[in-house]
Amino acid sequence: MNKKILVIGFVWPEPKSSAAGSRMLQLITQFQNQGYEVSFSSAAKMSDNTFDLDTINVNTKPILLNDSSFDVFVKELHPDAVLFDRFMTEEQYGWRVSEQCPNALRILDTEDFHGLRKAREVALKRNEVVTLEHLQNDTTKREIASIYRCDLSLIISEAELDILTNQFNIDASLLYYLPFLLEPISEEDIKLLPKFEARQHFVTIGNFLHAPNYNAVLYLKQTIWPLIRQQLPKLELHIYGSYESQKVTQLHKPNEGFFIKGFAEDVNDIMKNAKVCLASLRFGAGLKGKLIDAMQNGTPCVMTNIAAEGMFGQLDVNGFISDNPKDFAKKAVLLYSDAETWEQKQQQGFKVMHKRFNNVNFEKAFASKLMELSKDINAHRENNFIGQLFMMQSMQSTKYMSKWIEAKNR
């Protein structure tokens, strides 16, 4: 009989809108390869960009917040494992899963370390360097409580793994490094990509609902792009992203070569025809999908340290890293103008993809980890005493708030 896993999504996957959507489909593939029958549920509304999970043999069921109908559903499904998509879904549904399916493996996909992103956002607004005080915010406290309540948390970036183990002393047995899991790029695919001479303009991409992306576009518009245009006055910057609001569309200035293009139907088509990708993020966490899209399509990048974090390990970058606007612009102009530098950085990107994000390098170890946990989940939980504390009724404010809302809604 097939093993069953229930994925509880914070949203329905939208791989064309965000890196989080692509990441979710990668995880679903991993579980299917391990022999799991996958069910996906979410309390969020579907959109026009929602991926059709039926096409990859995933069962779907909408669920409600603060409603005991979920208890009936999960008890009948009786999954062997439950994956929570971000800590907010674990807060809502974790206690219900624990009560109805106490032996199910509870896995948290953090997506990125939300508390770290919050710390950096606050520090940027105050023009301060991020400290432990910034890190110890309410989001971090909620997220780490969720990590302790779960049997395993998937961490997408080595930088975040380091912070969680060294700054917050979380036991390594509760954390598991699992970055983007991508199909290798073949030599044939590389040969088909447009060459340096065939490409034109700069590009950046990102879901505009994500605060770091909007801030990065604003930073480009106000600070970096004018410096690039001084040296390359005829060039354009094309900005793609889903869910653009009026505050985004009003940045559209064709006379300045600054184009808000909106939703990208095919990110690969856009990225492979651009010459240079700009990633000017000033806060954020996790791994940046725009850099992955760029490397897959042989497009070198200029990026901030925040954008580059966790991407390259000990390998050279597929472009340049700079937090100084003048230097950032200078490197962008160099990369755009110098074919030899551009081609060298393109090759570096292919090397990073092959060595850092090849799904084949992670599949077996991840399957072994889940098998090992499933065999003796009770012993694993006994070693996680802090997790037991957080599961206690006296510490489960979320549970009783949910029950109160449910009673009120009757």
Side-chain angles (χ1 to χ4, degrees):
M1 197 171 75
N2 271 3
K3 298 176 288 184
K4 289 189 283 189
I5 185 166
L6 171 65
V7 181
I8 306 178
F10 181 63
V11 292
W12 295 91
E14 293 186 17
K16 288 185 177 180
S17 302
S18 71
S22 300
R23 159 75 163 182
M24 180 51 71
L25 294 189
Q26 291 162 19
L27 290 176
I28 287 171
T29 301
Q30 285 289 312
F31 290 118
Q32 288 178 327
N33 290 348
Q34 291 181 33
Y36 281 96
E37 180 187 318
V38 181
S39 298
F40 192 102
S41 291
S42 178
K45 288 181 179 171
M46 292 190 187
S47 79
D48 293 342
N49 302 333
T50 297
F51 183 83
D52 184 358
L53 290 167
D54 289 340
T55 61
I56 55 168
N57 299 316
V58 172
N59 308 311
T60 57
K61 182 175 171 61
I63 50 176
L64 298 171
L65 281 171
N66 308 308
D67 196 288
S68 55
S69 59
F70 175 82
D71 301 357
V72 177
F73 160 65
V74 78
K75 190 170 186 175
E76 283 179 2
L77 183 66
H78 196 63
D80 300 276
V82 176
L83 177 77
F84 301 102
D85 170 24
R86 289 166 263 205
F87 76 91
M88 299 81 91
T89 58
E90 190 281 330
E91 286 182 333
Q92 287 289 342
Y93 297 100
W95 62 272
R96 293 185 184 274
V97 169
S98 176
E99 286 184 356
Q100 304 302 325
C101 307
N103 297 321
L105 197 61
R106 296 190 296 272
I107 307 164
L108 173 65
D109 182 36
T110 56
E111 282 292 349
D112 60 36
F113 183 7
H114 294 73
L116 175 62
R117 190 203 308 158
K118 185 68 181 174
R120 286 170 169 168
E121 183 177 10
V122 170
L124 180 67
K125 282 178 180 171
R126 295 178 184 167
N127 201 22
E128 297 170 350
V129 174
V130 179
T131 64
L132 191 57
E133 184 184 352
H134 293 109
L135 267 175
Q136 291 177 344
N137 56 62
D138 287 351
T139 301
T140 297
K141 289 167 188 171
R142 287 170 59 195
E143 192 162 14
I144 287 180
S146 187
I147 286 171
Y148 275 115
R149 284 192 297 265
C150 288
D151 301 310
L152 195 68
S153 290
L154 308 180
I155 312 298
I156 204 167
S157 163
E158 291 155 325
E160 295 177 5
L161 196 64
D162 181 62
I163 291 169
L164 290 166
T165 50
N166 293 320
Q167 294 273 22
F168 294 104
N169 299 316
I170 296 175
D171 194 283
S173 67
L174 298 176
L175 307 172
Y176 193 84
Y177 172 60
L178 199 68
F180 288 129
L181 305 162
L182 304 166
E183 292 291 328
I185 311 168
S186 70
E187 289 297 325
E188 290 74 21
D189 288 342
I190 289 172
K191 283 175 188 170
L192 291 172
L193 290 171
K195 302 292 184 281
F196 177 83
E197 307 77 28
R199 297 175 180 235
Q200 61 176 348
H201 302 313
F202 292 89
V203 71
T204 191
I205 191 163
N207 180 342
F208 292 119
L209 289 178
H210 191 55
N213 286 333
Y214 171 70
N215 181 271
V217 170
L218 205 58
Y219 182 45
L220 279 173
K221 173 75 175 62
Q222 296 171 344
T223 308
I224 294 171
W225 184 241
L227 297 171
I228 295 173
R229 279 276 283 190
Q230 280 173 16
Q231 297 175 71
L232 301 171
K234 292 182 179 176
L235 292 186
E236 299 172 1
L237 171 57
H238 296 173
I239 293 145
Y240 291 87
S242 50
Y243 302 107
E244 77 267 29
S245 60
Q246 191 185 346
K247 70 178 183 180
V248 176
T249 52
Q250 70 186 12
L251 299 175
H252 180 71
K253 302 286 181 191
N255 60 325
E256 297 171 19
F258 200 88
F259 292 83
I260 303 294
K261 294 282 194 174
F263 180 71
E265 194 58 49
D266 185 348
V267 66
N268 295 315
D269 189 54
I270 288 157
M271 198 60 82
K272 74 184 180 188
N273 287 300
K275 194 171 272 187
V276 176
C277 174
L278 304 178
S280 53
L281 293 149
R282 293 194 291 171
F283 67 96
L287 297 179
K288 309 306 175 291
K290 56 179 73 58
L291 297 186
I292 293 288
D293 293 333
M295 286 189 282
Q296 282 183 312
N297 289 285
T299 310
C301 302
V302 185
M303 68 206 87
T304 57
N305 274 290
I306 292 284
E309 183 179 76
M311 294 294 300
F312 302 102
Q314 302 302 311
L315 299 176
D316 289 338
V317 181
N318 74 317
F320 297 102
I321 300 173
S322 179
D323 291 333
N324 177 284
K326 284 184 181 176
D327 185 57
F328 191 106
K330 184 180 168 187
K331 293 292 196 296
V333 171
L334 169 65
L335 206 46
Y336 196 94
S337 311
D338 189 310
E340 190 179 340
T341 303
W342 187 92
E343 284 162 10
Q344 180 194 344
K345 297 299 185 182
Q346 181 192 59
Q347 289 304 314
Q348 192 53 42
F350 296 141
K351 190 184 290 185
V352 170
M353 292 296 293
H354 177 69
K355 294 200 169 180
R356 301 267 303 156
F357 303 110
N358 188 336
N359 59 7
V360 175
N361 298 337
F362 296 94
E363 279 185 342
K364 283 186 182 175
F366 183 45
S368 298
K369 181 68 179 178
L370 296 190
M371 203 176 292
E372 173 197 319
L373 276 178
S374 300
K375 276 181 183 170
D376 204 351
I377 192 62
N378 291 330
H380 178 72
R381 289 173 180 170
E382 282 167 10
N383 289 329
N384 177 19
F385 183 67
I386 294 175
Q388 293 179 50
L389 290 181
F390 280 116
M391 292 299 286
M392 270 182 66
Q393 291 179 352
S394 61
M395 301 186 81
Q396 283 188 313
S397 58
T398 313
K399 171 179 175 176
Y400 290 104
M401 174 60 79
S402 180
K403 283 182 173 289
W404 179 78
I405 292 170
E406 185 179 358
K408 187 169 170 281
N409 287 342
R410 291 196 196 113

